[in-house]
């Protein structure tokens, strides 16, 4: 089984602009995750295998819905999601959602 990099496991991430982000607390689920994901001031990062991309605001709702279905046990049996909040030195927030199968 191939092991892919995990932003959440590493607890930090450096974006394309060189900004360092640190994980704040533990993993998120349920209402705290949904609230953070809906906040327009929060960047959302989707990690799938070795693909890391920022989620545009128009695509957030569909990603959050897939995570919600997973949390309720209604997603495909072969999918798994992990989520966490990250912050940078400026106090900006970043929601990281990792998807694996």
């Amino acid at each position: 089984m191939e092991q892919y990099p995990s932003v959440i496991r590493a607890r930090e991430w450096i974006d394309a602009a060189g900004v360092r982000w640190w994980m704040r607390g533990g993993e998120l689920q349920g209402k705290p995750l949904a609230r953070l994901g809906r906040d327009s001031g929060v960047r959302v990062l989707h990690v799938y295998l070795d693909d890391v991309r920022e989620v545009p605001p128009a695509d957030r709702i569909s990603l959050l819905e897939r995570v919600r279905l997973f949390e309720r046990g209604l997603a495909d049996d072969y999918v798994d999601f992990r989520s966490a909040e990250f912050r940078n030195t400026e106090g900006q927030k970043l929601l990281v959602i990792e998807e694996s199968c």
Side-chain angles (χ1 to χ4, degrees):
M1 180 173 154
E2 187 169 351
Q3 185 73 13
Y4 290 97
S6 168
V7 175
I8 293 174
R9 194 174 335 105
R11 300 187 63 85
E12 72 174 18
W13 181 66
I14 300 174
D15 67 20
V19 176
R20 185 178 301 264
W21 298 83
W22 290 275
M23 191 166 140
R24 182 173 182 265
E27 293 185 34
L28 296 175
Q29 293 182 335
K31 289 181 183 179
L33 166 62
R35 190 171 22 258
L36 197 61
R38 288 191 308 265
D39 185 334
S40 62
V42 175
R43 290 173 56 190
V44 177
L45 195 70
H46 181 221
V47 180
Y48 180 70
L49 304 176
D50 62 350
D51 180 37
V52 179
R53 68 175 186 91
E54 190 159 348
V55 180
D59 296 343
R60 287 183 184 193
I61 298 300
S62 63
L63 177 59
L64 291 171
E65 179 62 19
R66 289 177 46 225
V67 173
R68 188 181 72 76
L69 289 172
F70 167 76
E71 289 180 341
R72 295 180 65 204
L74 302 173
D76 187 17
D77 289 340
Y78 303 105
V79 69
D80 184 39
F81 287 98
R82 298 173 66 195
S83 305
E85 179 184 344
F86 285 67
R87 293 215 182 166
N88 64 17
T89 57
E90 303 295 320
Q92 296 170 315
K93 298 177 185 178
L94 172 72
L95 172 61
V96 174
I97 300 175
E98 291 186 348
E99 179 179 1
S100 59
C101 53

